[in-house]
Every structure is written in C-alpha cells, then in structure tokens.
C-alpha cells in the first residue's frame, strides 16, 4: 500500500509542477503541445518514483 501512495504522491507533485509551467508559458504566449507534455510527465514520474523507491531498499 505504501508503494501506491508514493506513486500517487509523486504523480500529483509532477502534474502540479507541469500545470504551473504550462500556465506561465501560456501567459507569455508560448503554446505547449499536450501530447509531448504527457510523455514528459510520464517519464519524469517514473524516474522520480524509481529514485524514491530505490532509496528504501
């Protein structure tokens, strides 16, 4: 159960950061592609999650 909660927490943090970045870019006139953002969010989430769970072992 701890693994699921850590995964949810990491995903939520990464999504919040990317939402803030997207809002800032939209305010400055930079339009970000949602398809590439989805791939980047997924990759970042997996890498951060692996880093968090590796420290426990």
């Amino acid at each position: 159960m701890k693994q699921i909660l850590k995964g949810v927490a990491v995903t939520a943090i990464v999504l919040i950061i990317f939402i803030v970045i997207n809002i800032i870019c939209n305010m400055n006139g930079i339009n970000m592609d949602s398809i590439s953002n989805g791939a980047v969010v997924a990759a970042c989430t997996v890498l951060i999650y692996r880093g968090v769970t590796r420290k426990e072992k």
Side-chain angles (χ1 to χ4, degrees):
M1 188 69 177
K2 286 184 182 181
Q3 301 296 330
I4 294 172
L5 293 176
K6 287 181 183 178
V8 169
V10 168
T11 303
I13 291 169
V14 170
L15 283 176
I16 290 170
I17 291 170
F18 271 94
I19 288 170
V20 169
I21 291 171
N22 201 1
I23 290 171
I24 291 170
C25 289
N26 284 339
M27 289 173 50
N28 291 325
I30 301 169
N31 195 8
M32 298 179 74
D33 185 26
S34 62
I35 295 174
S36 62
N37 277 351
V40 171
V41 167
C44 288
T45 302
V46 168
L47 292 174
I48 293 171
Y49 176 74
R50 286 188 180 176
V52 169
T53 56
R54 184 180 303 149
K55 291 180 182 178
E56 285 183 357
K57 295 179 181 180

